[in-house]
Amino acid sequence: MHLRIVHETEYAFTEPVFLEPHYLRFKPKSMPFFGMESYELNLSVLPSGISEQEDAEGNTIHFCWFDGMHNNIHIKSEALLKITPFKPFNFLVHPANCNLIPFRYPQQLFPLLQNNLTVAKISDSLLDYGQEILKNVGSSTISFLLKLTIRIHEDFNLEIREFGVPLHPNITFEGKTGSCRDLSWMHIQLLRNLGLAARFVSGYYYVDAEDPQYELHAWVEVFIPGAGWIGFDPSNGIATANMHIPVGSSCHYENTMPVSGSVRGDARALLKTDLKIEMIN
């Protein structure tokens, strides 16, 4: 099977602006369940320079810089991926004490996971929500991760909110509704408050539907010794597999934005995006 992913982003400005250097995050990360058969990134404004790099958290980014004044910029990312079978639970939790929560990560992992363990203060109600689920599964690590993902899907309403940063976890919990990034950020902070290293993932999720309307998707990854980073999608109540294609993962959602940069000039910007994902046999 092959997936073709075409992601287009356009910024139109009310007045000409000077484009400061930008970071672009569109190229899918290297994963064991797909091969990158081709990738193209095209910009309507020819950059003075562009460099493909790996950022501090292992994501592929394109860093580009520009000359002159511009009324708009159109970015088109096109990837062709060969999808292979994948078993998300093909691992052995090791050391064995990590099978029950709470546990301590092996000492050598702490410096590597520290940013993914940084907690935001959450309400007692949200913490109790997680602890109740943990108690019901007998503190089993993997059972808890699965059950929590399912419960968030069942207990919260998923809404479409194309733009804006994730809401504070307490707001999402109290309202029992949120976008995929709201639910994921709440999920992450709950996990961290229970001592688990968790990070935010932005990417693409293919759905076999008649007329799907695609948007950039968000989910969660948790680090479990012996398993590595494993994904959970609270919006859909599932563990992630080979239909979840990550583009960026980070301890903070700000570091996964598709476009990061600024402009010089007195202008407002209108953002338009279009995402198409198709299966090719």
Side-chain angles (χ1 to χ4, degrees):
M1 297 187 301
H2 291 77
L3 281 183
R4 175 177 284 119
I5 303 170
V6 181
H7 191 175
E8 298 185 71
T9 303
E10 182 176 19
Y11 290 89
F13 304 103
T14 56
E15 300 288 342
V17 298
F18 181 85
L19 300 170
E20 298 286 5
H22 277 60
Y23 293 94
L24 308 180
R25 302 177 182 88
F26 291 97
K27 187 175 183 178
K29 295 181 64 172
S30 177
M31 298 297 288
F33 50 80
F34 70 76
M36 182 84 70
E37 298 216 332
S38 65
Y39 182 76
E40 290 186 14
L41 180 68
N42 293 298
L43 284 70
S44 63
V45 176
L46 184 66
S48 300
I50 186 167
S51 172
E52 183 173 315
Q53 307 172 4
E54 182 178 292
D55 71 9
E57 295 180 279
N59 305 302
T60 298
I61 59 173
H62 288 87
F63 179 62
C64 48
W65 54 101
F66 306 90
D67 287 321
M69 305 292 284
H70 304 280
N71 290 302
N72 74 313
I73 181 170
H74 182 270
I75 305 162
K76 182 177 181 180
S77 168
E78 184 168 356
L80 181 64
L81 311 177
K82 183 177 181 180
I83 306 298
T84 57
F86 177 67
K87 298 178 180 179
F89 294 102
N90 183 29
F91 57 76
L92 175 68
V93 176
H94 181 78
N97 68 288
C98 296
N99 277 296
L100 295 175
I101 300 172
F103 63 79
R104 289 183 58 83
Y105 285 100
Q107 185 174 359
Q108 67 271 23
L109 290 177
F110 272 110
L112 305 176
L113 297 175
Q114 184 175 4
N115 289 338
N116 300 288
L117 287 161
T118 302
V119 300
K121 183 173 176 56
I122 62 174
S123 67
D124 290 341
S125 298
L126 176 52
L127 187 58
D128 290 344
Y129 177 81
Q131 290 177 330
E132 179 187 359
I133 296 170
L134 181 61
K135 181 180 178 181
N136 289 339
V137 297
S139 298
S140 167
T141 300
I142 302 304
S143 295
F144 169 69
L145 292 172
L146 283 168
K147 188 62 177 178
L148 176 62
T149 305
I150 293 169
R151 281 286 304 274
I152 292 175
H153 172 66
E154 292 174 343
D155 295 344
F156 291 76
N157 294 316
L158 179 65
E159 67 175 8
I160 303 300
R161 187 165 56 86
E162 295 184 23
F163 307 115
V165 301
L167 300 175
H168 190 281
N170 291 346
I171 295 175
T172 302
F173 182 73
E174 291 166 8
K176 295 296 184 291
T177 187
S179 67
C180 59
R181 58 191 179 280
D182 298 325
L183 298 181
S184 294
W185 192 237
M186 180 189 72
H187 194 165
I188 287 166
Q189 293 302 330
L190 176 53
L191 291 171
R192 290 181 184 178
N193 274 270
L194 293 171
L196 296 172
R199 66 186 183 185
F200 188 92
V201 186
S202 177
Y204 307 115
Y205 176 46
Y206 174 76
V207 179
D208 186 10
E210 189 169 319
D211 186 25
Q213 302 298 310
Y214 288 110
E215 299 288 348
L216 202 62
H217 192 48
W219 61 93
V220 176
E221 285 182 343
V222 188
F223 191 88
I224 302 299
W229 289 105
I230 51 177
F232 297 90
D233 182 349
S235 301
N236 292 287
I238 57 176
T240 64
N242 57 1
M243 293 295 102
H244 283 77
I245 309 298
V247 171
S249 56
S250 175
C251 60
H252 200 281
Y253 57 80
E254 287 183 347
N255 301 324
T256 67
M257 295 179 63
V259 181
S260 297
S262 61
V263 300
R264 256 187 280 159
D266 186 16
R268 290 177 287 107
L270 175 65
L271 172 61
K272 292 193 297 184
T273 64
D274 184 67
L275 176 60
K276 294 182 175 66
I277 307 176
E278 60 176 335
M279 181 71 72
I280 304 171
N281 294 322

